[in-house]
Amino acid sequence: MAHLRETSDKALKLLRTLPRVQIGNLRPNPNSKQNDKRGRAQHGGDKHGAGNKGSGQRQNFMRLGYETGNQPFYMRFPYEPYYKGHHLKRQYPPISLIQLQVLIDTNRIDTSQPIDISTLCNSGLLKLRPAEMEYGFQLTDDGLDNFKAKINIEVQHASEAVIAAVEKNGGVIRTAYYDPRSLHMLANPKKWFQKGVPIPSRMLPPQDAVDYYTNPKNRGYLANPEEISKERLVLAQKYGYELPKIENDSTYEMLTTTKDPRQIFYGLEPGWLINIVDKTIIKRIVE
């Protein structure tokens, strides 16, 4: 009996300390109520998250740019003539002088050999996508003051300041055009050689690019070499540096190595066949 009395006293004491039972503090027992629906938005899960009626609920995915019958965005504004043919314009992905210097310092590019598109792509850090209208690389002047390498490089576009930076260090720079098939070959030479097809000839530049690649100021590969020598002196006087004499340089042979306008690879002529398995070159005999 004493035990029951102690238990009842504890219960009464607990009731005295607890708040009074009111509507505001009534709560159901935990997990006593189960929601039959999943609770997705305002429909409580019966629409499966797809909205209320219409093509959106039926997973009828509309084409890109379609605005359910309204006038599309690209037709609500007048035609701009400078957009004409923009998808056909040649693109030149940039590579800066500081990037080129880093590739040289990390031994990803060998400066004892001429540098072209194939050399840049084989570095593993640069990619060229001819299918996306990329026609080569343009050398930009970022890191102009930190560029110290002496190189023989061939790019597709370069500014006057970039040309001066390369020639100031005793290097040689040229700008050259490559047709899309030649670009595919230079971007991945191994894939082309595995086909077992002779090396084709490089195509000449289109009419709108002839002026650029025949201009000695741009160091175009179709320009007169004598005019290029004159422009080298003019540029050195303009930027105030002494033009190094590459004739007395120990790497003169490498610095003066060039490609024929119809040639794609250094040291490989059009018509030659490269056998990767046997590691042989089958040369075309011209009678």
Side-chain angles (χ1 to χ4, degrees):
M1 293 296 292
H3 176 69
L4 293 175
R5 188 177 299 109
E6 291 179 0
T7 305
S8 62
D9 291 342
K10 289 182 179 179
L12 291 173
K13 186 177 180 180
L14 183 63
L15 287 174
R16 294 189 187 100
T17 57
L18 289 176
R20 298 186 64 179
V21 178
Q22 298 176 354
I23 297 177
N25 56 19
L26 289 177
R27 296 287 185 276
N29 293 329
N31 299 325
S32 62
K33 295 184 66 177
Q34 297 292 337
N35 190 1
D36 297 334
K37 297 183 179 180
R38 290 170 294 157
R40 293 290 298 273
Q42 61 179 336
H43 301 291
D46 58 341
K47 303 298 182 183
H48 306 284
N52 187 24
K53 301 183 181 179
S55 60
Q57 191 184 37
R58 294 164 178 81
Q59 296 188 2
N60 179 26
F61 302 112
M62 293 167 285
R63 61 176 173 82
L64 187 64
Y66 181 65
E67 299 184 14
T68 63
N70 298 326
Q71 186 79 339
F73 174 83
Y74 61 88
M75 295 181 66
R76 286 200 294 265
F77 299 95
Y79 172 74
E80 298 292 346
Y82 51 80
Y83 286 149
K84 184 177 180 181
H86 70 281
H87 61 290
L88 300 176
K89 292 182 179 179
R90 292 183 291 273
Q91 305 295 325
Y92 300 98
I95 171 176
S96 63
L97 288 172
I98 190 65
Q99 285 179 298
L100 186 61
Q101 185 67 55
V102 170
L103 291 175
I104 294 172
D105 294 341
T106 54
N107 295 325
R108 289 182 177 270
I109 290 181
D110 185 11
T111 56
S112 63
Q113 300 294 330
I115 301 172
D116 61 351
I117 295 177
S118 180
T119 308
L120 297 174
C121 291
N122 288 336
S123 67
L125 298 179
L126 299 172
K127 290 185 179 181
L128 188 67
R129 301 174 179 86
E132 299 180 9
M133 301 299 295
E134 294 182 355
Y135 276 72
F137 296 101
Q138 62 170 328
L139 198 57
T140 62
D141 57 0
D142 296 335
L144 191 70
D145 299 331
N146 298 324
F147 187 73
K148 304 299 180 183
K150 180 173 62 177
I151 56 175
N152 178 6
I153 187 170
E154 179 188 75
V155 292
Q156 284 56 62
H157 194 277
S159 63
E160 186 182 77
V162 171
I163 295 174
V166 174
E167 294 180 350
K168 180 180 179 181
N169 297 330
V172 177
I173 183 172
R174 280 178 304 279
T175 56
Y177 170 83
Y178 289 91
D179 58 279
R181 181 174 63 172
S182 302
L183 292 170
H184 279 287
M185 297 172 59
L186 289 168
N188 194 346
K190 182 178 179 181
K191 184 177 180 180
W192 174 266
F193 294 151
Q194 287 175 343
K195 294 181 179 180
V197 180
I199 301 175
S201 298
R202 191 195 338 177
M203 304 297 290
L204 293 175
Q207 192 65 33
D208 59 343
V210 170
D211 292 340
Y212 184 85
Y213 292 112
T214 55
N215 192 343
K217 293 183 179 180
N218 301 326
R219 306 299 187 264
Y221 74 116
L222 298 178
N224 188 351
E226 296 180 358
E227 295 294 330
I228 292 179
S229 300
K230 294 179 182 179
E231 291 296 334
R232 283 169 59 90
L233 292 172
V234 171
L235 195 62
Q237 294 174 357
K238 180 177 180 179
Y239 282 83
Y241 62 86
E242 184 179 355
L243 185 66
K245 295 182 179 180
I246 62 175
E247 296 84 1
N248 302 330
D249 199 295
S250 59
T251 59
Y252 173 75
E253 184 177 354
M254 183 275 294
L255 293 174
T256 56
T257 302
T258 59
K259 294 181 184 179
D260 185 80
R262 293 287 190 174
Q263 190 176 356
I264 299 177
F265 298 100
Y266 280 111
L268 299 176
E269 299 293 335
W272 289 8
L273 184 64
I274 311 301
N275 191 332
I276 296 182
V277 178
D278 298 336
K279 298 182 180 180
T280 56
I281 300 176
I282 303 175
K283 300 182 179 180
R284 182 180 62 178
I285 300 176
V286 180
E287 298 182 355

